[in-house]
Amino acid sequence: MVLIRGHHLADLDPLRINKGDLDSSIPAELLLSHYQLGDADMERVFRLPATTYIGGNEPALPLKEIIRRMEETYCRHIGVEFMFINNLDQTDWIRRKFETPGIMKLNTEDKRLILARLIRSTRFEEFLARKWSSEKRFGLEGCEVLIPCMKTIIDSSSAIGVDSFIIGMPHRGRLNVLANVCRKPLEKIICQFDSKLEAADEGSGDVKYHLGMSHERLNRVTNKNIRLAVVANPSHLEAVDPVAQGKTKAEQFYRGDNDGKKAMSILLHGDAAFSGQGIVYETMHLSDLPAFTTHGTIHVVVNNQIGFTTDPRMSRSSPYCTDVARVVNAPIFHVNADDPEAVTYVSRVAAEWRSTFGKDVIIDLVSYRRMGHNEMDEPMFTQPLMYKKIAKEPSVLTKYAESLINTNTVTQQEFEEEISKYDKICEESYMLAKKETAVSNAEWLDSPWTDFFSSRGDQMKIPSTSVNEDVLLAIGDKVSTVPENFQVHGGLKRVLRSRADMVKNRMADWALGECFAFGSLLKEGIHVRLSGQDVERGTFSHRHHVLHHQEIDKKTYVPLNHLFQDQAHYTVCNSSLSEYGVLGFELGYSMTNPNALVIWEAQFGDFSNTAQCIIDQFISSGQAKWVRQSGIVLLLPHGYEGMGPEHSSCRIERFLQMSNDDPEYFPVEGPNFEIQQLHEINWFVCNFTTPANFFHAMRRQISLPFRKPLIVATPKSLLRLPEARSGFDDMIEGSHFMRVLPETGEASENANTVKKLLFCSGKVYYELCKEREKKDMVSDIAIARIEQLSPFPFDLVKAEMQKYPNARVTWVQEEHKNMGPYLYVEPRIRTILKKIEDDREMEYAGRFPSAASATGNKQMHLMELAGFMEAAFSC
């Protein structure tokens, strides 16, 4: 901010620059205008030769360069960083906001409002400290001005037309924001301090400073209704950033808010996390991408000048914690957090900047942390001198109140009455909280879906996922043709002809099956969004959902957006080369509207491990912690084909390990067995072998009366394998999703004589079939495919085992023994055997344990394959 200790640039004394033996005074108001002057004008204005010296023995430099260097130094010192912005209109706009004399003067009403907000911010923390002196709460002490800052941003944006605010923030100051920005009822916050109160609804809950909320209220400054949503987050700093951005983007999309004038995001950061966490960089690089932009985010950095116990000189290499924002040309306003009026002015400018230019902006609240990392922490262990100074520092409320009383803006009595008024509110809320007998996790939901669950009918009914054949034919026709005069690549003409032939023969490969799933949902008004690296074409050049004209640059055609009249919109977009940021974004997008199919596809399955934080902390556990449902789909290419350790496994074992079903419990059998399992599991994990099952799984995500994430180990070689095709009969009326695909060949007709029952999942099925044919064992070996691994289909696996009472039971997988589904499947099959009082044991056929997910040697890969094939078929 162009304020340091309350002085405006135009009010400063003329800047004196010593240039060797020349001594000239340069008016400060001209300093930031020199860029418009030529050399002759520079000499005239500054009365200096165009080439001169800058101090001592420095070499001669053009005066313009000297002034440029001084300008950068001056601007950095007084708080504004914007000279890296390469847009003249934007830099001129900033200059006008800070150079115009008197522009930042506030009236008496503004000052009294700031004081009232500071009282609430400060007294809230003091109230909690008195009542729960030994509780962690990650208070705002030292940066209480954050509350007036955020409220000013919201006031200014509301006045411009924004009515929905999505807030992502860490734990520090969260309770204060919930209480004094969002106006969450204080008694609900206070209840979170009572560990004896149990939740009256579902979920395991989370600590109070991780919780989110959604609330609609009247903004009393603008007299307009606004909606505020604070997104729940884990302790993993900055992880919530892309989630909040995705949620904002989705709301803008569904409201037709193409310029971000109605919904916006505010992200809060800590100084050490802002410079240290790579997800900040990933998220900021989404800010101007067409399919990801939210048309400007206001970032507020609570700059404590310390990270837990680490000094800035040890935690970053850049001069400022906010320097990462320079890469997207976002202006950076450094402001003294002990100057509430300066903070207020900067907050207004930030809101105006976003509205005017639709770009990110940073407010760096240079403050301190009065306590340790938390209230139980002792900061004197590591920063003794710093905390000796902090101990002597009066609070910002004390200093600001004193200044307003001295200038007769408020009286001492008015100040004390305002404090008493808020203290009374806190005490009354405390008494109300004591009357509560339980807490409700649902009250902290950051993305409520109004009437969704009540409008879905029977919650215990498996919905139909089939479609009429005419729908498949219509989709097939559109995705196999292009408009006249649209020139596609010659190779794609063959692809389109192949699609047309499959439609004619009532067959579908994986790409066409995907088109049928997406297209049929679009027809039903369901928005479908697919993003990830190279998803428009597909990593394996199989999808081609965006066709490019071969002669006209940027002219494209998306067949799935031209299927039916009044269909929903299909968004398919290549993302930046980011997994963590983009998956977080798509998760946030999926949270906004349950009636949308939101999909993230990894370039290769194991690339998802760079987004493990989003998977672990948000997707697998989000419903348990925050009662937050999401129907997001993860497509993770998986399969051992001799391509090395980094392109073989999606690490399906990790997803299965995080599934919450009990391996030793056989669920109660009955008509609701399948739907009950779907209700109780935290997500679905599948490894399909047919396009039809993929088709039904995509449609099931929307037709179910609730939402759960779906993890799919998608194929690579099966994309073009002729045997891995599905007929239309497996997708039209009468068909449905198959959790298990049982043996239907010769072995099933002579079940009592079958020697071995092989269970498997995914691509290895086709290799087993080929080997069975080769060994002429089609009547001796039965092969069953478990398509849905989690929740585990206990009932169907049990039925298969009972059908083949004399067969040895073997689990076959292409992954290594310490990977893949084996460790998940084995105890569950043991549970089934115990249930049916069967003394058979499950055998294993697969690769031996390994530290690496796959060999990098093709010959070794083939030897391993031959080895476990031999084990599978040995009778």
Side-chain angles (χ1 to χ4, degrees), residues 665-674 676-677 680 795 835:
Y665 173 71
F666 194 111
V668 178
E669 295 183 90
N672 294 329
F673 185 94
E674 181 179 354
Q676 187 67 42
Q677 275 198 308
E680 293 176 357
D795 54 335
K835 168 83 174 177

Side-chain angles (χ1 to χ4, degrees), residues 148 166 351 424 471 613 695:
I166 294 88
K424 183 180 178 182
V471 175
C613 177
F695 165 87

Side-chain angles (χ1 to χ4, degrees), residues 499-513:
R499 285 182 185 173
D501 290 342
M502 282 190 286
V503 173
K504 183 178 179 181
N505 294 319
R506 302 181 70 248
M507 296 293 291
D509 63 5
W510 283 87
L512 189 54

Side-chain angles (χ1 to χ4, degrees), residues 328-344:
V328 293
N329 282 339
I332 303 166
F333 303 141
H334 305 284
V335 58
N336 186 342
D338 271 354
D339 187 342
E341 293 180 17
V343 172
T344 298

Side-chain angles (χ1 to χ4, degrees), residues 609-678:
N609 58 20
T610 62
Q612 201 69 42
C613 177
I614 298 296
I615 294 167
D616 293 1
Q617 311 307 134
F618 290 87
I619 299 178
S620 76
S621 57
Q623 183 175 358
K625 293 192 293 188
W626 306 316
V627 205
R628 173 206 285 165
Q629 293 194 13
S630 166
I632 191 170
V633 178
L634 275 62
L635 303 182
L636 310 176
H638 175 87
Y640 282 60
E641 284 146 6
M643 300 307 293
E646 270 68 64
H647 296 93
S648 298
S649 174
C650 74
R651 295 291 192 170
I652 196 169
E653 64 274 5
R654 294 179 178 172
F655 297 96
L656 293 171
Q657 183 190 43
M658 288 187 282
S659 294
N660 67 351
D661 58 335
D662 187 342
E664 298 178 348
Y665 173 71
F666 194 111
V668 178
E669 295 183 90
N672 294 329
F673 185 94
E674 181 179 354
I675 190 70
Q676 187 67 42
Q677 275 198 308
L678 298 180

Side-chain angles (χ1 to χ4, degrees), residues 192-381:
Q192 292 296 317
F193 285 86
D194 188 348
S195 59
K196 295 178 183 177
L197 290 179
E198 295 183 358
D201 50 8
E202 66 167 311
S204 56
D206 200 351
V207 293
K208 49 191 167 290
Y209 39 80
H210 288 171
L211 299 176
M213 64 156 286
S214 180
H215 184 53
E216 185 169 333
R217 67 172 178 83
L218 180 70
N219 183 300
R220 299 191 182 280
V221 173
T222 61
N223 205 33
K224 295 180 179 180
N225 283 325
I226 58 174
R227 290 191 303 275
L228 298 140
V230 178
V231 182
N233 69 283
S235 283
H236 298 62
L237 294 172
E238 307 293 345
V240 75
D241 296 356
V243 181
Q245 295 298 78
K247 182 172 167 57
T248 306
K249 180 66 175 180
E251 183 166 336
Q252 291 173 350
F253 173 82
Y254 295 121
R255 297 182 65 183
D257 184 15
N258 298 324
D259 299 316
K261 300 297 186 183
K262 296 295 182 183
M264 66 173 282
S265 59
I266 303 172
L267 294 183
L268 274 58
H269 315 269
D271 52 315
F274 197 68
S275 61
Q277 292 289 334
I279 189 59
V280 174
Y281 185 87
E282 289 188 36
T283 303
M284 296 201 81
H285 265 287
L286 299 176
S287 63
D288 279 338
L289 302 185
F292 297 88
T293 181
T294 58
H295 308 285
T297 295
I298 298 180
H299 301 262
V300 182
V301 179
V302 176
N303 188 346
N304 297 316
Q305 305 178 73
I306 189 172
F308 203 156
T309 66
T310 305
D311 291 332
R313 62 179 178 270
M314 300 296 183
S315 66
R316 65 174 185 264
S317 297
S318 59
Y320 295 95
C321 64
T322 53
D323 282 347
V324 64
R326 294 165 69 101
V327 301
V328 293
N329 282 339
I332 303 166
F333 303 141
H334 305 284
V335 58
N336 186 342
D338 271 354
D339 187 342
E341 293 180 17
V343 172
T344 298
Y345 182 71
V346 162
S347 302
R348 289 177 181 174
V349 172
E352 292 174 26
W353 165 273
R354 181 198 176 272
S355 178
T356 303
F357 298 107
K359 293 178 67 66
D360 286 20
V361 56
I362 317 297
I363 300 174
D364 179 20
L365 296 177
V366 183
S367 59
Y368 57 90
R369 191 187 66 197
R370 189 171 290 276
M371 306 294 185
H373 176 65
N374 60 64
E375 289 71 22
M376 302 297 98
D377 198 38
E378 176 51 78
M380 292 285 284
F381 289 156

